[in-house]
Amino acid sequence: MALSKHINADRLLQEARDHKAHSHHFTGHDKSKTTHAYGARYGTDPIPKYQIPSKGTDADSAYQIIHDELALDGSPLLNLASFVHTWMPPQADKLMAENISKNLIDQDEYPMTQILHTRCISMLAELWHAPSSKQAIGTATTGSSEAIQLGGLAMKRIWQEKRKAAGKSIHEPGPNIVMGANAQVALEKFARYFEVECRLVPVSVESKYRLDTKKAMEFVDENTIGIFVILGSTYTGHYEPVKEMSDLLDEYEKKTGHSVPIHVDGASGAFIAPFATPKLEWDFRLPRVVSINTSGHKFGLSYVGVGWVVWRDKAHLPKDLIFELHYLGSVEYSFSLNFSRPAHPIIAQYFNFIHLGFEGFRAVALSDLKNARLLARALDKSGYYTVLSEVHQLVNQPGLLENTKKAVGIDEEDVENYAPSLPVVAFRFSDKFKQEHPDLQQKWIQTLLRAKGWIVPNYELAPGLESIEILRVVVRENMTEALMDRLVTDIIEVTEDIAKTNSPMHALASSSNPRGSARKHDGHIGEGSGRARSGTYQKTC
């Protein structure tokens, strides 16, 4: 680990340790090992950092050593950068612990687990208004990333079959897929990994930082296998207009005869919209939507490790993507990218379905949105920040004055009065604040909040809007109103602190801060090892 360009921390520590005087050939402390002082009570020798120790230690010592190192991680409760859920009831914890050793792929050995998996698929198909929950087909995945690959693959294969049937080439010019430049990197991964041209549609302030449907049509042609439409942008929480996109594709098909399907990336929104805004048309009610993915470990309220993809019917999942497996004494069917996968995340998802029910999921979603509105309004009213998200904006009445709201009798607790959105708040320094403090760097708000325990990311918007930096907070179930009060207080406190010209924080925040050299460990992928960033959202989510 390098502290700076010229100083290596491992070497520094090696040279700073106590040296034994009696050795004529002393080589110093082995920098590849780490010592744990009170672990010595258990007779623990220094533990190698980068190789398997020749002799193991007892379980209690191993636990204590790893437990203490992991204490350096941030608190999941205060990690407002991530969409991933971090809490479940103790009964769910118990169920997962009881089933942690089960492999979902072993259908013959764990038939009841497979039945629960099938029930979850049927529940999601019904929730998303599939024409028939019995005819819909789907599978659990390790998350939305795998689910997106499967949805894209199905669209690519169907496009190939149509081209072959028409006697046309599938190689020249080849398939393409259309998505907004605000897409999460998993969507672009599909295109790159499975050799599909990725056509990124520029986003703008006018398009609300999301897919511009009219511009998207400029990228569509007979080789377009489909369009990824995102129900909940990872940047700002905006829903992309699925129905609007569907209507434009209907018109396109009438003019050209080319049918272009939609895959909805509902990583977060597919577990918010059905419960909070059930009237919103985005799902299988639109015939052009052929598949939907979601993350059970986001607003599905399960621990990390479970995603879902569902097709409206079997016709939209080509048979040659389904493998017949003669394994462990039975015939099994698989259409996932991997083979073995843990069963306990699926069990956790099923627990949520029967424990919470529709009313429970709706209560959680409404509470998340209410707390997000609280944060957005508070930041807007501070004058220090401008909120880019629309979670607190009244439908067709943005910026409505408080006295006007009271005069017309608007119920501010009725979610139907607001623009449909994820419980996400993206915000930046207000123009007035930047004008008054042109020397301040917004990224220092992230750093100062981190010192208080909060993890709030600061990053650039999608291509075309890279000059705009935003801070973003994801409001999850355990982000209660009490914690929200503390967060707002801390944000205002650090903002006012860096704004004071005589404060040490002001001097830091206004100074240039070139990135330090990256940490380098054996086996790590370093800078320059990957392809240059295309602009899609590549932060952790």
Side-chain angles (χ1 to χ4, degrees), residues 32 59 95 168 181 187 228 251 262 280 290 342 425 435 492 510:
S32 67
L95 265 177
K168 298 180 179 180
L187 280 67
F228 282 144
E251 294 175 12
I262 290 174
L280 182 67
V290 299
V425 181
Q435 186 176 6
I492 300 304
S510 60

Side-chain angles (χ1 to χ4, degrees), residues 153 238 257 526:
L153 272 174
H238 284 93

Side-chain angles (χ1 to χ4, degrees), residues 86-222:
T86 57
W87 174 86
M88 291 192 76
Q91 295 88 342
D93 293 343
K94 184 179 180 182
L95 265 177
M96 295 183 76
E98 291 172 353
N99 293 277
I100 201 167
S101 61
K102 290 183 180 178
N103 188 350
L104 185 66
I105 198 65
D106 296 343
Q107 299 176 20
D108 198 49
E109 282 68 26
Y110 309 119
M112 198 61 228
T113 300
Q114 192 57 223
I115 289 173
L116 298 189
H117 170 266
T118 303
R119 289 178 186 173
C120 287
I121 295 295
S122 296
M123 290 176 177
L124 288 171
E126 188 271 337
L127 180 68
W128 296 336
H129 299 96
S132 169
S133 60
K134 294 181 180 178
Q135 293 300 314
I137 187 170
T139 184
T141 60
T142 50
S144 277
S145 294
E146 181 187 359
I148 287 165
Q149 315 303 307
L150 294 173
L153 272 174
M155 292 194 296
K156 179 184 177 182
R157 191 56 54 88
I158 288 174
W159 174 84
Q160 288 176 327
E161 291 174 353
K162 287 181 178 179
R163 296 282 292 183
K164 290 177 181 177
K168 298 180 179 180
S169 172
I170 63 172
H171 302 294
E172 297 295 337
N176 67 73
I177 191 161
V178 177
M179 66 190 80
N182 60 307
Q184 207 270 350
V185 70
L187 280 67
E188 188 190 0
K189 272 186 178 181
F190 159 74
R192 193 185 301 180
Y193 288 179
F194 294 101
E195 299 181 321
V196 176
E197 179 191 352
C198 180
R199 295 184 173 179
L200 294 176
V201 182
V203 299
S204 64
V205 175
E206 292 73 27
S207 72
K208 300 179 180 179
Y209 317 99
R210 61 182 185 177
L211 179 72
D212 185 320
T213 55
K214 291 181 180 178
K215 281 186 180 179
M217 294 307 300
E218 299 173 10
F219 292 77
V220 174
D221 58 30
E222 65 176 303

Side-chain angles (χ1 to χ4, degrees), residues 85-383:
H85 195 64
T86 57
W87 174 86
M88 291 192 76
Q91 295 88 342
D93 293 343
K94 184 179 180 182
L95 265 177
M96 295 183 76
E98 291 172 353
N99 293 277
I100 201 167
S101 61
K102 290 183 180 178
N103 188 350
L104 185 66
I105 198 65
D106 296 343
Q107 299 176 20
D108 198 49
E109 282 68 26
Y110 309 119
M112 198 61 228
T113 300
Q114 192 57 223
I115 289 173
L116 298 189
H117 170 266
T118 303
R119 289 178 186 173
C120 287
I121 295 295
S122 296
M123 290 176 177
L124 288 171
E126 188 271 337
L127 180 68
W128 296 336
H129 299 96
S132 169
S133 60
K134 294 181 180 178
Q135 293 300 314
I137 187 170
T139 184
T141 60
T142 50
S144 277
S145 294
E146 181 187 359
I148 287 165
Q149 315 303 307
L150 294 173
L153 272 174
M155 292 194 296
K156 179 184 177 182
R157 191 56 54 88
I158 288 174
W159 174 84
Q160 288 176 327
E161 291 174 353
K162 287 181 178 179
R163 296 282 292 183
K164 290 177 181 177
K168 298 180 179 180
S169 172
I170 63 172
H171 302 294
E172 297 295 337
N176 67 73
I177 191 161
V178 177
M179 66 190 80
N182 60 307
Q184 207 270 350
V185 70
L187 280 67
E188 188 190 0
K189 272 186 178 181
F190 159 74
R192 193 185 301 180
Y193 288 179
F194 294 101
E195 299 181 321
V196 176
E197 179 191 352
C198 180
R199 295 184 173 179
L200 294 176
V201 182
V203 299
S204 64
V205 175
E206 292 73 27
S207 72
K208 300 179 180 179
Y209 317 99
R210 61 182 185 177
L211 179 72
D212 185 320
T213 55
K214 291 181 180 178
K215 281 186 180 179
M217 294 307 300
E218 299 173 10
F219 292 77
V220 174
D221 58 30
E222 65 176 303
N223 298 307
T224 302
I225 66 172
I227 297 184
F228 282 144
V229 185
I230 305 167
L231 196 72
S233 170
T234 48
Y235 283 96
T236 58
H238 284 93
Y239 289 166
E240 294 188 337
V242 185
K243 188 177 188 308
E244 186 179 305
M245 189 77 257
S246 177
D247 291 342
L248 289 174
L249 290 172
D250 286 346
E251 294 175 12
Y252 176 78
E253 184 175 358
K254 289 178 182 178
K255 294 177 182 178
T256 65
H258 301 311
S259 178
V260 179
I262 290 174
H263 173 91
V264 175
D265 173 22
S268 296
F271 264 117
I272 291 290
F275 302 110
T277 52
K279 296 177 184 177
L280 182 67
E281 291 185 76
W282 64 273
D283 54 16
F284 292 128
R285 284 172 287 187
L286 303 173
R288 198 161 293 277
V289 174
V290 299
S291 50
I292 300 170
N293 71 273
T294 193
S295 291
H297 59 229
K298 292 179 182 174
F299 292 101
L301 308 180
S302 297
Y303 289 130
V304 67
V306 59
W308 302 94
V309 58
V310 178
W311 288 266
R312 65 183 303 116
D313 52 46
K314 295 179 181 178
H316 290 92
L317 178 62
K319 288 184 179 180
D320 64 348
L321 291 181
I322 303 174
F323 286 81
E324 182 178 296
L325 310 172
H326 295 265
Y327 181 68
L328 297 179
S330 67
V331 178
E332 301 167 0
Y333 297 90
S334 171
F335 48 102
S336 58
L337 294 181
N338 62 359
F339 192 63
S340 294
R341 72 172 72 245
H344 62 276
I346 286 82
I347 295 170
Q349 185 73 83
Y350 184 69
F351 170 88
N352 280 341
F353 284 154
I354 64 172
H355 170 58
L356 291 171
F358 188 94
E359 290 184 358
F361 271 102
R362 177 172 169 80
V364 171
L366 293 181
S367 176
D368 290 347
L369 290 166
K370 182 178 180 180
N371 285 328
R373 292 196 298 270
L374 173 67
L375 175 61
R377 290 195 194 108
L379 292 170
D380 256 347
K381 290 175 182 293
S382 73

Side-chain angles (χ1 to χ4, degrees), residues 375-540:
L375 175 61
R377 290 195 194 108
L379 292 170
D380 256 347
K381 290 175 182 293
S382 73
Y384 301 146
Y385 293 99
T386 295
V387 177
L388 281 64
S389 302
E390 288 193 335
V391 66
H392 64 309
Q393 294 288 356
L394 293 165
V395 179
N396 300 321
Q397 302 176 80
L400 196 65
L401 296 176
E402 294 296 324
N403 56 352
T404 309
K405 293 178 188 177
K406 294 175 182 177
V408 298
I410 292 176
D411 181 0
E412 293 189 356
E413 290 194 346
D414 185 353
V415 71
E416 297 292 342
N417 287 328
Y418 297 93
S421 169
L422 294 180
V424 167
V425 181
F427 54 104
R428 62 172 177 82
F429 282 156
S430 67
D431 292 339
K432 180 182 178 182
F433 186 85
K434 287 193 290 185
Q435 186 176 6
E436 293 173 350
H437 307 280
D439 55 337
L440 295 183
Q441 299 185 60
Q442 185 174 285
K443 63 183 179 181
W444 272 93
I445 299 298
Q446 170 183 328
T447 303
L448 295 174
L449 287 174
R450 187 69 175 86
K452 291 178 175 288
W454 302 106
I455 302 175
V456 177
N458 180 83
Y459 53 90
E460 303 88 8
L461 283 178
L465 297 174
E466 303 98 322
S467 60
I468 301 176
E469 286 188 354
I470 61 170
L471 294 148
R472 189 200 65 189
V473 169
V474 180
V475 180
R476 304 191 304 270
E477 181 184 11
N478 52 2
M479 189 61 192
T480 61
E481 187 173 338
L483 281 175
M484 194 64 71
D485 290 345
R486 189 65 252 169
L487 174 65
V488 171
T489 301
D490 286 342
I491 291 175
I492 300 304
E493 183 179 291
V494 299
T495 305
E496 292 181 342
D497 196 18
I498 65 169
K500 294 176 183 176
T501 56
N502 60 347
S503 74
M505 287 299 103
H506 178 90
L508 280 172
S510 60
S511 64
S512 60
N513 183 36
R515 293 180 180 177
S517 58
R519 295 183 179 184
K520 294 181 180 180
H521 290 308
D522 293 340
H524 279 209
I525 297 177
E527 184 177 349
S529 300
R531 184 167 141 183
R533 178 179 184 267
S534 67
T536 49
Y537 184 85
Q538 300 183 54
K539 302 285 185 180
T540 304

